[in-house]
Amino acid sequence: MTIGIHRLSFHTPAYYLDLDTLAQARGADPAKFHVGLGQDRMAIPPPDQDIVTLAANAALPILDELGPDHIDWCLFATESGVDQSKAAALFCHGLLGLPASCRCAEIKEACYGGTAALRLAAAIVAASPASRVLVLASDIARYDLASPGEPTQGAGAVAMLVAADPDLLVLEPSPGVHCEDIMDFWRPNYRTEALAEGHYSTRMYLTTLAEAYKAHQAATGHTLATFAHLACHMPFTRIAWKALARLARADGIPEPPPDAAEALLAPATLYNRLTGNTYAACLYEGLASLLDHAPAPLDGKTIGCFSYGSGCMAEFYAATVVPGYAAHLYTPLHRHLLADRVPLTYRQYEDIFQYGIPTDGADHIFAPYRGGPFRLATLSAHKRRYERRDP
Ligand code: COA
């Protein structure tokens, strides 16, 4: 029996800010964002979309295709939770019509949360092979206006169905893990914007990548030559090129020339360039991008995956693409979603950024914006009410 990702669906808001627009507003050179950070656009959720609606919208194609049967866990990874007590998974349980026998819980460890949920899901399936676990990873990346992190903001969600003998990706044994207690990026409960020591965070990302890779290599003997492609956590996509350089150094080989590096890395970065950081969803958005865009069939190929969560957790693992995987992708949906988005002006971006909701229990009705079927409809007596809009 193998265990891994059976279905993978991605969702992002219907609005974006072009980083040319942001560069103009900030008096920055657009090349810093496009070339230096490797980002072109950042996804902006309108007021009636939050991590719950993004995740439910991501999961809908999977539920529509396979139904809720045998889904006995729903694990929701996020660092932008909407409630300190109730798991975001429970709102999705209701919206998606998951079975009453399905357990729901929320998981957090910065951008590593999606991988933590995936690992737990795999362990659940190993113990109970008929189980199917719906892993949702959904986040809204927010930094202070005009801060260094601002051009790396983003929003999006992935839904992964984890199962035995999966159709898409098999998780290979012996992931390499490295954990340290540090403060490189964090968001105290009283803040709505994250705080980052971005340069330190980048250094720790690369240092812990080397440690996790070393642990993975010691157990498997894998080298860069093992991998057809790499998919990395991407707070900004240019970091994947820095990661490759670090892996080459660990292998004791020269850095791959630009065209080889591009071939190895670029397919997994295309969606992230257009959405910005999606935190817990980021690596899995990258995997969706890779499966949707690989220039040659990936059947039987091994992918090197690196997950990093500030604070910090690092994990390097190998996943093998299942022959026939291409018949089980949602590529047209993903492409349509990204092609159909609406650009915002700088003023619209800032208005949405500053949009405040009552914190005193007053009634609030959310105007309908463009987006997926699920939306946040009202807030009343401190309770969120979601709805599915008519097609
Ligand atoms: N043309 C091309 N490249 C340019 C440029 C220009 N005009 N101006 C700058 N650059 C390059 C820089 O050389 C640098 O590349 P390098 O790192 O390969 O040298 C890159 O663009 C970024 O420039 P830098 O001056 O380092 O940017 P910054 O100080 O404003 O901050 C981050 C960059 C990434 C640190 C910042 O965006 C940040 O903190 N982001 C949040 C990231 C994070 O912590 N996420 C959570 C962890 S996952």
Side-chain angles (χ1 to χ4, degrees), residues 335-356:
R335 290 197 174 146
H336 175 73
L337 189 66
L338 286 163
D340 203 34
R341 296 187 302 169
V342 174
L344 298 176
T345 63
Y346 177 79
R347 177 54 45 205
Q348 289 170 323
Y349 153 66
E350 203 174 297
D351 285 349
I352 289 178
F353 189 94
Q354 308 281 17
Y355 187 93

mmCIF file with all atom_site columns, all heavy atoms in Angstrom, residues 335-356:
data_model
loop_
_atom_site.group_PDB
_atom_site.id
_atom_site.type_symbol
_atom_site.label_atom_id
_atom_site.label_alt_id
_atom_site.label_comp_id
_atom_site.label_asym_id
_atom_site.label_entity_id
_atom_site.label_seq_id
_atom_site.pdbx_PDB_ins_code
_atom_site.Cartn_x
_atom_site.Cartn_y
_atom_site.Cartn_z
_atom_site.occupancy
_atom_site.B_iso_or_equiv
_atom_site.pdbx_formal_charge
_atom_site.auth_seq_id
_atom_site.auth_comp_id
_atom_site.auth_asym_id
_atom_site.auth_atom_id
_atom_site.pdbx_PDB_model_num
ATOM 1   N N   . ARG A 1 335 ? -6.453  27.291 -14.063 1.00 0.00 ? 335 ARG A N   1
ATOM 2   C CA  . ARG A 1 335 ? -6.067  28.308 -15.058 1.00 0.00 ? 335 ARG A CA  1
ATOM 3   C C   . ARG A 1 335 ? -7.171  29.342 -15.230 1.00 0.00 ? 335 ARG A C   1
ATOM 4   O O   . ARG A 1 335 ? -6.899  30.542 -15.330 1.00 0.00 ? 335 ARG A O   1
ATOM 5   C CB  . ARG A 1 335 ? -5.741  27.635 -16.395 1.00 0.00 ? 335 ARG A CB  1
ATOM 6   C CG  . ARG A 1 335 ? -4.447  26.843 -16.299 1.00 0.00 ? 335 ARG A CG  1
ATOM 7   C CD  . ARG A 1 335 ? -3.886  26.507 -17.663 1.00 0.00 ? 335 ARG A CD  1
ATOM 8   N NE  . ARG A 1 335 ? -2.581  25.889 -17.504 1.00 0.00 ? 335 ARG A NE  1
ATOM 9   C CZ  . ARG A 1 335 ? -2.088  24.944 -18.282 1.00 0.00 ? 335 ARG A CZ  1
ATOM 10  N NH1 . ARG A 1 335 ? -2.801  24.506 -19.310 1.00 0.00 ? 335 ARG A NH1 1
ATOM 11  N NH2 . ARG A 1 335 ? -0.886  24.456 -18.067 1.00 0.00 ? 335 ARG A NH2 1
ATOM 12  N N   . HIS A 1 336 ? -8.408  28.878 -15.248 1.00 0.00 ? 336 HIS A N   1
ATOM 13  C CA  . HIS A 1 336 ? -9.532  29.796 -15.406 1.00 0.00 ? 336 HIS A CA  1
ATOM 14  C C   . HIS A 1 336 ? -9.587  30.777 -14.228 1.00 0.00 ? 336 HIS A C   1
ATOM 15  O O   . HIS A 1 336 ? -9.765  31.985 -14.400 1.00 0.00 ? 336 HIS A O   1
ATOM 16  C CB  . HIS A 1 336 ? -10.843 29.019 -15.535 1.00 0.00 ? 336 HIS A CB  1
ATOM 17  C CG  . HIS A 1 336 ? -12.051 29.894 -15.573 1.00 0.00 ? 336 HIS A CG  1
ATOM 18  N ND1 . HIS A 1 336 ? -12.370 30.664 -16.673 1.00 0.00 ? 336 HIS A ND1 1
ATOM 19  C CD2 . HIS A 1 336 ? -12.997 30.165 -14.641 1.00 0.00 ? 336 HIS A CD2 1
ATOM 20  C CE1 . HIS A 1 336 ? -13.458 31.358 -16.420 1.00 0.00 ? 336 HIS A CE1 1
ATOM 21  N NE2 . HIS A 1 336 ? -13.865 31.076 -15.197 1.00 0.00 ? 336 HIS A NE2 1
ATOM 22  N N   . LEU A 1 337 ? -9.402  30.230 -13.030 1.00 0.00 ? 337 LEU A N   1
ATOM 23  C CA  . LEU A 1 337 ? -9.428  31.028 -11.808 1.00 0.00 ? 337 LEU A CA  1
ATOM 24  C C   . LEU A 1 337 ? -8.427  32.183 -11.889 1.00 0.00 ? 337 LEU A C   1
ATOM 25  O O   . LEU A 1 337 ? -8.741  33.331 -11.565 1.00 0.00 ? 337 LEU A O   1
ATOM 26  C CB  . LEU A 1 337 ? -9.067  30.099 -10.651 1.00 0.00 ? 337 LEU A CB  1
ATOM 27  C CG  . LEU A 1 337 ? -9.197  30.535 -9.220  1.00 0.00 ? 337 LEU A CG  1
ATOM 28  C CD1 . LEU A 1 337 ? -10.653 30.756 -8.889  1.00 0.00 ? 337 LEU A CD1 1
ATOM 29  C CD2 . LEU A 1 337 ? -8.616  29.446 -8.310  1.00 0.00 ? 337 LEU A CD2 1
ATOM 30  N N   . LEU A 1 338 ? -7.216  31.877 -12.323 1.00 0.00 ? 338 LEU A N   1
ATOM 31  C CA  . LEU A 1 338 ? -6.167  32.903 -12.370 1.00 0.00 ? 338 LEU A CA  1
ATOM 32  C C   . LEU A 1 338 ? -6.373  33.871 -13.530 1.00 0.00 ? 338 LEU A C   1
ATOM 33  O O   . LEU A 1 338 ? -6.058  35.059 -13.419 1.00 0.00 ? 338 LEU A O   1
ATOM 34  C CB  . LEU A 1 338 ? -4.789  32.241 -12.446 1.00 0.00 ? 338 LEU A CB  1
ATOM 35  C CG  . LEU A 1 338 ? -4.360  31.621 -11.112 1.00 0.00 ? 338 LEU A CG  1
ATOM 36  C CD1 . LEU A 1 338 ? -3.219  30.624 -11.312 1.00 0.00 ? 338 LEU A CD1 1
ATOM 37  C CD2 . LEU A 1 338 ? -3.949  32.707 -10.125 1.00 0.00 ? 338 LEU A CD2 1
ATOM 38  N N   . ALA A 1 339 ? -6.918  33.365 -14.640 1.00 0.00 ? 339 ALA A N   1
ATOM 39  C CA  . ALA A 1 339 ? -7.108  34.228 -15.812 1.00 0.00 ? 339 ALA A CA  1
ATOM 40  C C   . ALA A 1 339 ? -8.288  35.173 -15.632 1.00 0.00 ? 339 ALA A C   1
ATOM 41  O O   . ALA A 1 339 ? -8.354  36.211 -16.284 1.00 0.00 ? 339 ALA A O   1
ATOM 42  C CB  . ALA A 1 339 ? -7.321  33.354 -17.050 1.00 0.00 ? 339 ALA A CB  1
ATOM 43  N N   . ASP A 1 340 ? -9.210  34.808 -14.747 1.00 0.00 ? 340 ASP A N   1
ATOM 44  C CA  . ASP A 1 340 ? -10.476 35.527 -14.610 1.00 0.00 ? 340 ASP A CA  1
ATOM 45  C C   . ASP A 1 340 ? -10.436 36.574 -13.494 1.00 0.00 ? 340 ASP A C   1
ATOM 46  O O   . ASP A 1 340 ? -11.463 37.126 -13.115 1.00 0.00 ? 340 ASP A O   1
ATOM 47  C CB  . ASP A 1 340 ? -11.579 34.495 -14.315 1.00 0.00 ? 340 ASP A CB  1
ATOM 48  C CG  . ASP A 1 340 ? -12.945 35.015 -14.689 1.00 0.00 ? 340 ASP A CG  1
ATOM 49  O OD1 . ASP A 1 340 ? -13.036 35.763 -15.663 1.00 0.00 ? 340 ASP A OD1 1
ATOM 50  O OD2 . ASP A 1 340 ? -13.918 34.688 -13.971 1.00 0.00 ? 340 ASP A OD2 1
ATOM 51  N N   . ARG A 1 341 ? -9.256  36.860 -12.949 1.00 0.00 ? 341 ARG A N   1
ATOM 52  C CA  . ARG A 1 341 ? -9.192  37.784 -11.806 1.00 0.00 ? 341 ARG A CA  1
ATOM 53  C C   . ARG A 1 341 ? -9.261  39.248 -12.263 1.00 0.00 ? 341 ARG A C   1
ATOM 54  O O   . ARG A 1 341 ? -8.958  39.571 -13.413 1.00 0.00 ? 341 ARG A O   1
ATOM 55  C CB  . ARG A 1 341 ? -7.913  37.541 -11.010 1.00 0.00 ? 341 ARG A CB  1
ATOM 56  C CG  . ARG A 1 341 ? -7.859  36.154 -10.381 1.00 0.00 ? 341 ARG A CG  1
ATOM 57  C CD  . ARG A 1 341 ? -6.663  36.007 -9.475  1.00 0.00 ? 341 ARG A CD  1
ATOM 58  N NE  . ARG A 1 341 ? -5.400  36.235 -10.167 1.00 0.00 ? 341 ARG A NE  1
ATOM 59  C CZ  . ARG A 1 341 ? -4.226  36.381 -9.555  1.00 0.00 ? 341 ARG A CZ  1
ATOM 60  N NH1 . ARG A 1 341 ? -4.158  36.327 -8.241  1.00 0.00 ? 341 ARG A NH1 1
ATOM 61  N NH2 . ARG A 1 341 ? -3.131  36.571 -10.247 1.00 0.00 ? 341 ARG A NH2 1
ATOM 62  N N   . VAL A 1 342 ? -9.621  40.099 -11.317 1.00 0.00 ? 342 VAL A N   1
ATOM 63  C CA  . VAL A 1 342 ? -9.782  41.530 -11.618 1.00 0.00 ? 342 VAL A CA  1
ATOM 64  C C   . VAL A 1 342 ? -8.653  42.314 -10.941 1.00 0.00 ? 342 VAL A C   1
ATOM 65  O O   . VAL A 1 342 ? -8.421  42.131 -9.738  1.00 0.00 ? 342 VAL A O   1
ATOM 66  C CB  . VAL A 1 342 ? -11.156 42.016 -11.075 1.00 0.00 ? 342 VAL A CB  1
ATOM 67  C CG1 . VAL A 1 342 ? -11.298 43.515 -11.236 1.00 0.00 ? 342 VAL A CG1 1
ATOM 68  C CG2 . VAL A 1 342 ? -12.280 41.272 -11.768 1.00 0.00 ? 342 VAL A CG2 1
ATOM 69  N N   . PRO A 1 343 ? -7.966  43.197 -11.684 1.00 0.00 ? 343 PRO A N   1
ATOM 70  C CA  . PRO A 1 343 ? -6.912  44.008 -11.047 1.00 0.00 ? 343 PRO A CA  1
ATOM 71  C C   . PRO A 1 343 ? -7.518  45.130 -10.200 1.00 0.00 ? 343 PRO A C   1
ATOM 72  O O   . PRO A 1 343 ? -8.577  45.673 -10.543 1.00 0.00 ? 343 PRO A O   1
ATOM 73  C CB  . PRO A 1 343 ? -6.145  44.590 -12.242 1.00 0.00 ? 343 PRO A CB  1
ATOM 74  C CG  . PRO A 1 343 ? -7.113  44.586 -13.376 1.00 0.00 ? 343 PRO A CG  1
ATOM 75  C CD  . PRO A 1 343 ? -8.089  43.462 -13.129 1.00 0.00 ? 343 PRO A CD  1
ATOM 76  N N   . LEU A 1 344 ? -6.874  45.455 -9.114  1.00 0.00 ? 344 LEU A N   1
ATOM 77  C CA  . LEU A 1 344 ? -7.312  46.559 -8.259  1.00 0.00 ? 344 LEU A CA  1
ATOM 78  C C   . LEU A 1 344 ? -6.417  47.773 -8.489  1.00 0.00 ? 344 LEU A C   1
ATOM 79  O O   . LEU A 1 344 ? -5.239  47.627 -8.819  1.00 0.00 ? 344 LEU A O   1
ATOM 80  C CB  . LEU A 1 344 ? -7.210  46.161 -6.780  1.00 0.00 ? 344 LEU A CB  1
ATOM 81  C CG  . LEU A 1 344 ? -8.062  44.985 -6.304  1.00 0.00 ? 344 LEU A CG  1
ATOM 82  C CD1 . LEU A 1 344 ? -7.745  44.683 -4.835  1.00 0.00 ? 344 LEU A CD1 1
ATOM 83  C CD2 . LEU A 1 344 ? -9.548  45.271 -6.481  1.00 0.00 ? 344 LEU A CD2 1
ATOM 84  N N   . THR A 1 345 ? -6.976  48.947 -8.274  1.00 0.00 ? 345 THR A N   1
ATOM 85  C CA  . THR A 1 345 ? -6.139  50.136 -8.219  1.00 0.00 ? 345 THR A CA  1
ATOM 86  C C   . THR A 1 345 ? -5.465  50.165 -6.850  1.00 0.00 ? 345 THR A C   1
ATOM 87  O O   . THR A 1 345 ? -5.902  49.453 -5.911  1.00 0.00 ? 345 THR A O   1
ATOM 88  C CB  . THR A 1 345 ? -6.977  51.415 -8.370  1.00 0.00 ? 345 THR A CB  1
ATOM 89  O OG1 . THR A 1 345 ? -7.875  51.480 -7.247  1.00 0.00 ? 345 THR A OG1 1
ATOM 90  C CG2 . THR A 1 345 ? -7.777  51.404 -9.669  1.00 0.00 ? 345 THR A CG2 1
ATOM 91  N N   . TYR A 1 346 ? -4.464  51.024 -6.704  1.00 0.00 ? 346 TYR A N   1
ATOM 92  C CA  . TYR A 1 346 ? -3.817  51.113 -5.395  1.00 0.00 ? 346 TYR A CA  1
ATOM 93  C C   . TYR A 1 346 ? -4.848  51.524 -4.332  1.00 0.00 ? 346 TYR A C   1
ATOM 94  O O   . TYR A 1 346 ? -4.881  50.962 -3.235  1.00 0.00 ? 346 TYR A O   1
ATOM 95  C CB  . TYR A 1 346 ? -2.635  52.100 -5.403  1.00 0.00 ? 346 TYR A CB  1
ATOM 96  C CG  . TYR A 1 346 ? -2.081  52.188 -4.014  1.00 0.00 ? 346 TYR A CG  1
ATOM 97  C CD1 . TYR A 1 346 ? -1.247  51.185 -3.538  1.00 0.00 ? 346 TYR A CD1 1
ATOM 98  C CD2 . TYR A 1 346 ? -2.498  53.187 -3.130  1.00 0.00 ? 346 TYR A CD2 1
ATOM 99  C CE1 . TYR A 1 346 ? -0.807  51.181 -2.220  1.00 0.00 ? 346 TYR A CE1 1
ATOM 100 C CE2 . TYR A 1 346 ? -2.070  53.193 -1.814  1.00 0.00 ? 346 TYR A CE2 1
ATOM 101 C CZ  . TYR A 1 346 ? -1.222  52.195 -1.376  1.00 0.00 ? 346 TYR A CZ  1
ATOM 102 O OH  . TYR A 1 346 ? -0.815  52.180 -0.070  1.00 0.00 ? 346 TYR A OH  1
ATOM 103 N N   . ARG A 1 347 ? -5.720  52.508 -4.670  1.00 0.00 ? 347 ARG A N   1
ATOM 104 C CA  . ARG A 1 347 ? -6.696  52.987 -3.695  1.00 0.00 ? 347 ARG A CA  1
ATOM 105 C C   . ARG A 1 347 ? -7.644  51.858 -3.266  1.00 0.00 ? 347 ARG A C   1
ATOM 106 O O   . ARG A 1 347 ? -7.957  51.695 -2.081  1.00 0.00 ? 347 ARG A O   1
ATOM 107 C CB  . ARG A 1 347 ? -7.486  54.161 -4.324  1.00 0.00 ? 347 ARG A CB  1
ATOM 108 C CG  . ARG A 1 347 ? -8.581  54.757 -3.509  1.00 0.00 ? 347 ARG A CG  1
ATOM 109 C CD  . ARG A 1 347 ? -8.185  55.216 -2.115  1.00 0.00 ? 347 ARG A CD  1
ATOM 110 N NE  . ARG A 1 347 ? -6.936  55.977 -2.066  1.00 0.00 ? 347 ARG A NE  1
ATOM 111 C CZ  . ARG A 1 347 ? -6.161  56.073 -0.995  1.00 0.00 ? 347 ARG A CZ  1
ATOM 112 N NH1 . ARG A 1 347 ? -6.471  55.447 0.119   1.00 0.00 ? 347 ARG A NH1 1
ATOM 113 N NH2 . ARG A 1 347 ? -5.048  56.782 -1.030  1.00 0.00 ? 347 ARG A NH2 1
ATOM 114 N N   . GLN A 1 348 ? -8.100  51.057 -4.254  1.00 0.00 ? 348 GLN A N   1
ATOM 115 C CA  . GLN A 1 348 ? -8.997  49.925 -3.913  1.00 0.00 ? 348 GLN A CA  1
ATOM 116 C C   . GLN A 1 348 ? -8.283  48.934 -2.987  1.00 0.00 ? 348 GLN A C   1
ATOM 117 O O   . GLN A 1 348 ? -8.877  48.403 -2.047  1.00 0.00 ? 348 GLN A O   1
ATOM 118 C CB  . GLN A 1 348 ? -9.455  49.218 -5.192  1.00 0.00 ? 348 GLN A CB  1
ATOM 119 C CG  . GLN A 1 348 ? -10.437 50.031 -6.024  1.00 0.00 ? 348 GLN A CG  1
ATOM 120 C CD  . GLN A 1 348 ? -10.684 49.407 -7.390  1.00 0.00 ? 348 GLN A CD  1
ATOM 121 O OE1 . GLN A 1 348 ? -9.771  48.848 -8.016  1.00 0.00 ? 348 GLN A OE1 1
ATOM 122 N NE2 . GLN A 1 348 ? -11.907 49.519 -7.869  1.00 0.00 ? 348 GLN A NE2 1
ATOM 123 N N   . TYR A 1 349 ? -6.996  48.678 -3.290  1.00 0.00 ? 349 TYR A N   1
ATOM 124 C CA  . TYR A 1 349 ? -6.207  47.759 -2.443  1.00 0.00 ? 349 TYR A CA  1
ATOM 125 C C   . TYR A 1 349 ? -6.169  48.275 -1.012  1.00 0.00 ? 349 TYR A C   1
ATOM 126 O O   . TYR A 1 349 ? -6.440  47.540 -0.051  1.00 0.00 ? 349 TYR A O   1
ATOM 127 C CB  . TYR A 1 349 ? -4.798  47.624 -3.033  1.00 0.00 ? 349 TYR A CB  1
ATOM 128 C CG  . TYR A 1 349 ? -3.722  47.275 -2.034  1.00 0.00 ? 349 TYR A CG  1
ATOM 129 C CD1 . TYR A 1 349 ? -3.704  46.045 -1.375  1.00 0.00 ? 349 TYR A CD1 1
ATOM 130 C CD2 . TYR A 1 349 ? -2.686  48.179 -1.760  1.00 0.00 ? 349 TYR A CD2 1
ATOM 131 C CE1 . TYR A 1 349 ? -2.695  45.741 -0.457  1.00 0.00 ? 349 TYR A CE1 1
ATOM 132 C CE2 . TYR A 1 349 ? -1.686  47.878 -0.860  1.00 0.00 ? 349 TYR A CE2 1
ATOM 133 C CZ  . TYR A 1 349 ? -1.695  46.665 -0.198  1.00 0.00 ? 349 TYR A CZ  1
ATOM 134 O OH  . TYR A 1 349 ? -0.707  46.363 0.700   1.00 0.00 ? 349 TYR A OH  1
ATOM 135 N N   . GLU A 1 350 ? -5.860  49.563 -0.872  1.00 0.00 ? 350 GLU A N   1
ATOM 136 C CA  . GLU A 1 350 ? -5.730  50.086 0.501   1.00 0.00 ? 350 GLU A CA  1
ATOM 137 C C   . GLU A 1 350 ? -7.083  50.112 1.204   1.00 0.00 ? 350 GLU A C   1
ATOM 138 O O   . GLU A 1 350 ? -7.168  49.830 2.405   1.00 0.00 ? 350 GLU A O   1
ATOM 139 C CB  . GLU A 1 350 ? -5.089  51.474 0.488   1.00 0.00 ? 350 GLU A CB  1
ATOM 140 C CG  . GLU A 1 350 ? -4.440  51.757 1.826   1.00 0.00 ? 350 GLU A CG  1
ATOM 141 C CD  . GLU A 1 350 ? -3.646  53.054 1.887   1.00 0.00 ? 350 GLU A CD  1
ATOM 142 O OE1 . GLU A 1 350 ? -2.650  53.199 1.155   1.00 0.00 ? 350 GLU A OE1 1
ATOM 143 O OE2 . GLU A 1 350 ? -4.053  53.907 2.685   1.00 0.00 ? 350 GLU A OE2 1
ATOM 144 N N   . ASP A 1 351 ? -8.155  50.413 0.471   1.00 0.00 ? 351 ASP A N   1
ATOM 145 C CA  . ASP A 1 351 ? -9.492  50.392 1.082   1.00 0.00 ? 351 ASP A CA  1
ATOM 146 C C   . ASP A 1 351 ? -9.824  48.986 1.600   1.00 0.00 ? 351 ASP A C   1
ATOM 147 O O   . ASP A 1 351 ? -10.359 48.828 2.707   1.00 0.00 ? 351 ASP A O   1
ATOM 148 C CB  . ASP A 1 351 ? -10.560 50.813 0.067   1.00 0.00 ? 351 ASP A CB  1
ATOM 149 C CG  . ASP A 1 351 ? -10.537 52.326 -0.183  1.00 0.00 ? 351 ASP A CG  1
ATOM 150 O OD1 . ASP A 1 351 ? -9.855  53.040 0.579   1.00 0.00 ? 351 ASP A OD1 1
ATOM 151 O OD2 . ASP A 1 351 ? -11.173 52.764 -1.149  1.00 0.00 ? 351 ASP A OD2 1
ATOM 152 N N   . ILE A 1 352 ? -9.509  47.968 0.798   1.00 0.00 ? 352 ILE A N   1
ATOM 153 C CA  . ILE A 1 352 ? -9.786  46.592 1.250   1.00 0.00 ? 352 ILE A CA  1
ATOM 154 C C   . ILE A 1 352 ? -8.885  46.248 2.436   1.00 0.00 ? 352 ILE A C   1
ATOM 155 O O   . ILE A 1 352 ? -9.327  45.638 3.415   1.00 0.00 ? 352 ILE A O   1
ATOM 156 C CB  . ILE A 1 352 ? -9.609  45.589 0.085   1.00 0.00 ? 352 ILE A CB  1
ATOM 157 C CG1 . ILE A 1 352 ? -10.744 45.765 -0.920  1.00 0.00 ? 352 ILE A CG1 1
ATOM 158 C CG2 . ILE A 1 352 ? -9.569  44.158 0.602   1.00 0.00 ? 352 ILE A CG2 1
ATOM 159 C CD1 . ILE A 1 352 ? -10.652 44.872 -2.138  1.00 0.00 ? 352 ILE A CD1 1
ATOM 160 N N   . PHE A 1 353 ? -7.639  46.677 2.358   1.00 0.00 ? 353 PHE A N   1
ATOM 161 C CA  . PHE A 1 353 ? -6.694  46.389 3.449   1.00 0.00 ? 353 PHE A CA  1
ATOM 162 C C   . PHE A 1 353 ? -7.215  46.963 4.773   1.00 0.00 ? 353 PHE A C   1
ATOM 163 O O   . PHE A 1 353 ? -7.098  46.342 5.825   1.00 0.00 ? 353 PHE A O   1
ATOM 164 C CB  . PHE A 1 353 ? -5.317  46.989 3.109   1.00 0.00 ? 353 PHE A CB  1
ATOM 165 C CG  . PHE A 1 353 ? -4.227  46.573 4.047   1.00 0.00 ? 353 PHE A CG  1
ATOM 166 C CD1 . PHE A 1 353 ? -3.412  45.477 3.765   1.00 0.00 ? 353 PHE A CD1 1
ATOM 167 C CD2 . PHE A 1 353 ? -4.003  47.256 5.241   1.00 0.00 ? 353 PHE A CD2 1
ATOM 168 C CE1 . PHE A 1 353 ? -2.412  45.087 4.636   1.00 0.00 ? 353 PHE A CE1 1
ATOM 169 C CE2 . PHE A 1 353 ? -3.009  46.870 6.124   1.00 0.00 ? 353 PHE A CE2 1
ATOM 170 C CZ  . PHE A 1 353 ? -2.210  45.783 5.815   1.00 0.00 ? 353 PHE A CZ  1
ATOM 171 N N   . GLN A 1 354 ? -7.792  48.191 4.701   1.00 0.00 ? 354 GLN A N   1
ATOM 172 C CA  . GLN A 1 354 ? -8.228  48.890 5.924   1.00 0.00 ? 354 GLN A CA  1
ATOM 173 C C   . GLN A 1 354 ? -9.644  48.505 6.337   1.00 0.00 ? 354 GLN A C   1
ATOM 174 O O   . GLN A 1 354 ? -10.117 48.993 7.371   1.00 0.00 ? 354 GLN A O   1
ATOM 175 C CB  . GLN A 1 354 ? -8.207  50.419 5.688   1.00 0.00 ? 354 GLN A CB  1
ATOM 176 C CG  . GLN A 1 354 ? -6.913  50.985 5.133   1.00 0.00 ? 354 GLN A CG  1
ATOM 177 C CD  . GLN A 1 354 ? -5.824  51.157 6.190   1.00 0.00 ? 354 GLN A CD  1
ATOM 178 O OE1 . GLN A 1 354 ? -5.928  50.567 7.259   1.00 0.00 ? 354 GLN A OE1 1
ATOM 179 N NE2 . GLN A 1 354 ? -4.783  51.908 5.887   1.00 0.00 ? 354 GLN A NE2 1
ATOM 180 N N   . TYR A 1 355 ? -10.331 47.695 5.539   1.00 0.00 ? 355 TYR A N   1
ATOM 181 C CA  . TYR A 1 355 ? -11.739 47.364 5.820   1.00 0.00 ? 355 TYR A CA  1
ATOM 182 C C   . TYR A 1 355 ? -11.859 46.770 7.226   1.00 0.00 ? 355 TYR A C   1
ATOM 183 O O   . TYR A 1 355 ? -11.227 45.764 7.546   1.00 0.00 ? 355 TYR A O   1
ATOM 184 C CB  . TYR A 1 355 ? -12.222 46.355 4.773   1.00 0.00 ? 355 TYR A CB  1
ATOM 185 C CG  . TYR A 1 355 ? -13.704 46.041 4.824   1.00 0.00 ? 355 TYR A CG  1
ATOM 186 C CD1 . TYR A 1 355 ? -14.603 46.743 4.040   1.00 0.00 ? 355 TYR A CD1 1
ATOM 187 C CD2 . TYR A 1 355 ? -14.189 45.028 5.636   1.00 0.00 ? 355 TYR A CD2 1
ATOM 188 C CE1 . TYR A 1 355 ? -15.963 46.451 4.067   1.00 0.00 ? 355 TYR A CE1 1
ATOM 189 C CE2 . TYR A 1 355 ? -15.545 44.717 5.669   1.00 0.00 ? 355 TYR A CE2 1
ATOM 190 C CZ  . TYR A 1 355 ? -16.418 45.440 4.886   1.00 0.00 ? 355 TYR A CZ  1
ATOM 191 O OH  . TYR A 1 355 ? -17.765 45.145 4.912   1.00 0.00 ? 355 TYR A OH  1
ATOM 192 N N   . GLY A 1 356 ? -12.671 47.406 8.044   1.00 0.00 ? 356 GLY A N   1
ATOM 193 C CA  . GLY A 1 356 ? -12.799 46.924 9.417   1.00 0.00 ? 356 GLY A CA  1
ATOM 194 C C   . GLY A 1 356 ? -14.141 46.253 9.644   1.00 0.00 ? 356 GLY A C   1
ATOM 195 O O   . GLY A 1 356 ? -15.152 46.674 9.071   1.00 0.00 ? 356 GLY A O   1
#
